[in-house]
Amino acid sequence: MATQAHSLSYAGCNFLRQRLVLSTLSGRPVKIRRIRARDDNPGLRDFEASFIRLLDKVTNGSRIEINQTGTTLYYQPGLLYGGSVEHDCNVLRSIGYYLESLLCLAPFMKHPLRIVLRGVTNDQVDPSVDVLKATALPLLKQFGIDGESFELKVVRRGMPPGGGGEVFFSCPVRKVLKPIQLTDPGKIKRIRGTAYSVRVSPQMANRIVDSARSILNKFIPDIYIYTDHMKGINSGKSPGFGLSLVAETTNGTFLSAELASNPQGQGAAVLPEDLGRNCAKLLLEEIYRGGCVDSTNQSLALLLMTLGQQDVSKVLLGPLSPYTIEFLRHLKSFFQIMFKIETKPCGEELKGGDKVLMTCVGVGFSNLSKTLK
Amino acid sequence: RDISESKVVGDYSKAGLLQTNGLSKSLNLESSLTVNKATLAISDSGHCTAEEAFASEDETEESSSLNTEEEDSENEEVIRKKFPKSSQVAGDQRLGSENLIGETSDVEDLLKEEEDYKEENDYSTETSGALKWKEDLSRKAAEAFLRQQQATPNLRKLIYGTVTEDNEE
């Protein structure tokens, strides 16, 4: 166990981002072995290499060692530096893949982070920039990360496989995070959304809006779905369309759902009507799961609770996602923080799926500048 | 002149006596009230659960509050009248206080009797039938807790594994 206190060792390619982000925040080196060792194409993928390069850009003094085949990675984190950065993200994954980790790291930089990310803004795998803007930013504000310079902007939209999108993200730096007490999600107050279309007929977005409203109008009158049609150089390199929906509750919780069309040349063509209806149903599913943080941001909320002041934080979540469960295990090994987990069965006032009340005491941000041993 | 003056004085003194009587009465009532309240408080702590006890207390409280209101108005009048003749008031109050002691002791006795009566009433009627749900409350709570524990999955164990559970114990 003496070696574990010094550096952590993992095997396999799963949860690479989690491990590297937590390693950076805790200051503990991490060694990852057997990355796709038995695969026909062994080693790190290009998008993972791009992620490691991004980490190298925002930190100062990181040591990264990768073996010849790329199956073993040793990462000794440096200090989070921040400042103005530009990064070309790999088009295999969307900018959301990179942005999710940056959202975890940005509040703890030495200098406020101002970063331009280029690549795919919306795809079918990762949370899109629109959804992160609508859900993750309000969540960070709950922790006291706020200000004029806190913004996330889609400058250009890029769809896979070509990409060509551009996103600007800037985040202020905070000394301490506020502990949160989010135990009452409230009731759904309004639904907002963005239907986007690039390099296809602008009418696509309108068809998506109509079909999504056909389902959502039965539940709540306050619905507004923006249509976003970008033209020229702002429309990226590939055609596509999609929809992201966000439901806001009376207590300031944001629950999101999204769908995007199949990339050009892959899979069958998607009808915008189907896409709109399915996305609306996904939003209803997300509302059924409920909680004070939507399922894409569960791990972000838990991380910021862990890194808060030495005070009790509470958050009510919907059913934990597999990613979040693994994240909890990682939080335990990197920060020695174990959450108190209480299941709250759906009673009279708590409609929908079973909820989980997560409670923890923060490690205290002041400890982070030192190396945690 | 002298006669008329003396008459006036006599009238005054009579009026003063009357008023002092009123004052002493009100004082008596007040003191009895305080005693009343005190006994009520005692009986409260004894049998705060029984419904009938509550009802009877409510009644007495209502009546007493009515009394106090009346007395307050009386007192105010009396005091307004009395202020110019403060010397008389001082003398009369002594008289009044003597009366007061005698009366309060009587009232206390009465109240004590009432109290005893009430207690009997409480024990005889309330505890037998209406409060069955209160029996074995701790056992019921323990059962409900265990039922809840068994029904809900132990997420902590699922997430962190069994090793941590052992460490905790």
Side-chain angles (χ1 to χ4, degrees), chain A residues 320 325 328-329 332 337-341 343 345 356, chain B residues 148 152-156 158-161 164-165 168:
Chain A
L320 299 178
I325 290 171
L328 283 168
R329 292 177 187 144
K332 188 193 161 225
I337 286 285
M338 279 172 75
F339 279 75
K340 188 181 172 209
I341 305 161
T343 39
V356 185
Chain B
Q148 170 79 6
T152 55
N154 190 350
L155 283 179
R156 197 184 168 90
L158 287 175
I159 290 169
Y160 294 121
T164 52
E165 291 288 312
E168 274 180 11

Side-chain angles (χ1 to χ4, degrees), chain A residues 21-309:
Chain A
V21 163
L22 289 173
S23 165
T24 312
L25 288 169
S26 66
R28 295 176 72 170
V30 69
K31 187 170 190 176
I32 301 168
R33 296 173 294 114
R34 300 215 301 272
I35 300 170
R36 298 193 182 91
R38 287 157 179 259
D39 204 290
D40 290 340
N41 179 14
L44 291 165
R45 293 276 181 273
D46 285 346
F47 63 88
E48 288 162 339
S50 175
F51 177 71
I52 295 168
R53 272 198 295 279
L54 173 63
L55 271 187
D56 193 34
K57 278 181 188 171
V58 296
T59 56
N60 191 11
S62 298
R63 216 175 96 213
I64 300 159
E65 290 168 15
I66 304 171
N67 72 346
Q68 197 87 47
T69 52
T71 52
T72 307
L73 165 71
Y74 178 80
Y75 174 69
Q76 190 181 36
L79 294 171
L80 284 164
Y81 195 77
S84 291
V85 185
E86 284 186 27
H87 186 69
D88 289 320
C89 303
N90 194 284
V91 290
L92 289 173
R93 299 296 286 261
S94 79
I95 291 174
Y97 174 84
Y98 303 87
L99 202 55
E100 271 189 306
S101 297
L102 281 179
L103 285 166
C104 300
L105 297 171
F108 310 106
M109 298 279 174
K110 187 181 171 100
H111 301 293
L113 182 69
R114 298 169 54 80
I115 190 165
V116 176
L117 296 164
R118 295 193 192 87
V120 175
T121 53
N122 304 73
D123 73 356
Q124 296 179 308
V125 187
D126 295 298
S128 69
V129 180
D130 304 88
V131 159
L132 288 176
K133 180 180 179 170
T135 58
L137 264 58
L139 180 66
L140 287 175
K141 281 178 185 165
Q142 302 262 19
F143 286 94
I145 303 158
D146 204 353
E148 281 178 27
S149 60
F150 190 43
E151 71 165 319
L152 176 57
K153 200 165 71 185
V154 182
V155 182
R156 294 173 190 169
R157 209 175 273 283
M159 299 290 289
E166 186 176 307
V167 168
F168 174 72
F169 173 56
S170 79
C171 178
V173 180
R174 285 288 171 269
K175 271 186 180 169
V176 285
L177 295 180
K178 280 194 288 188
I180 55 162
Q181 305 283 333
L182 299 176
T183 50
D184 184 17
K187 289 186 161 62
I188 304 295
K189 155 169 95 170
R190 63 167 80 108
I191 292 174
R192 293 289 176 268
T194 313
Y196 57 87
S197 55
V198 288
R199 298 188 168 271
V200 292
S201 159
Q203 201 55 36
M204 290 291 199
N206 297 333
R207 287 163 68 184
I208 295 172
V209 172
D210 284 345
S211 58
R213 291 193 74 118
S214 73
I215 287 188
L216 296 174
N217 270 345
K218 295 171 199 161
F219 300 100
I220 191 168
D222 190 358
I223 301 170
Y224 198 93
I225 301 172
Y226 300 87
T227 52
D228 180 49
H229 183 74
M230 285 193 166
K231 287 174 192 161
I233 195 167
N234 288 339
S235 65
K237 293 171 183 165
S238 299
F241 54 89
L243 172 67
S244 64
L245 291 171
V246 176
E248 187 186 349
T249 70
T250 48
N251 289 5
T253 294
F254 293 84
L255 304 167
S256 66
E258 65 174 329
L259 272 183
S261 62
N262 285 331
Q264 188 182 28
Q266 295 171 31
V270 179
L271 275 180
E273 282 78 13
D274 293 343
L275 187 133
R277 266 193 301 275
N278 290 337
C279 188
K281 286 172 187 169
L282 281 178
L283 183 71
L284 298 180
E285 165 75 21
E286 184 63 40
I287 291 168
Y288 174 82
R289 290 165 149 256
C292 293
V293 178
D294 84 331
S295 41
T296 51
N297 293 304
Q298 281 178 352
S299 54
L300 177 63
L302 296 177
L303 175 74
L304 296 178
M305 282 163 70
T306 308
L307 297 174
Q309 288 165 284

Side-chain angles (χ1 to χ4, degrees), chain B residues 25-65:
Chain B
K25 266 187 194 170
S26 66
L27 276 172
N28 285 341
L29 278 167
E30 272 185 14
S31 60
S32 69
L33 249 185
T34 50
V35 173
N36 201 351
K37 277 177 186 169
T39 49
L40 272 178
I42 292 160
S43 64
D44 264 358
S45 62
H47 327 278
C48 52
T49 54
E51 285 174 14
E52 277 195 21
F54 269 128
S56 61
E57 279 158 24
D58 287 344
E59 280 169 25
T60 49
E61 273 178 3
E62 276 170 26
S63 60
S64 64
S65 65

Side-chain angles (χ1 to χ4, degrees), chain A residues 330-367:
Chain A
H330 280 126
L331 276 181
K332 188 193 161 225
S333 45
F334 279 97
F335 289 103
Q336 289 82 46
I337 286 285
M338 279 172 75
F339 279 75
K340 188 181 172 209
I341 305 161
E342 292 164 276
T343 39
K344 298 271 172 188
C346 48
E348 285 288 312
E349 73 279 5
L350 274 176
K351 295 260 163 51
D354 284 0
K355 307 287 183 290
V356 185
L357 183 66
M358 309 288 293
T359 314
C360 85
V361 179
V363 291
F365 179 47
S366 54
N367 294 349

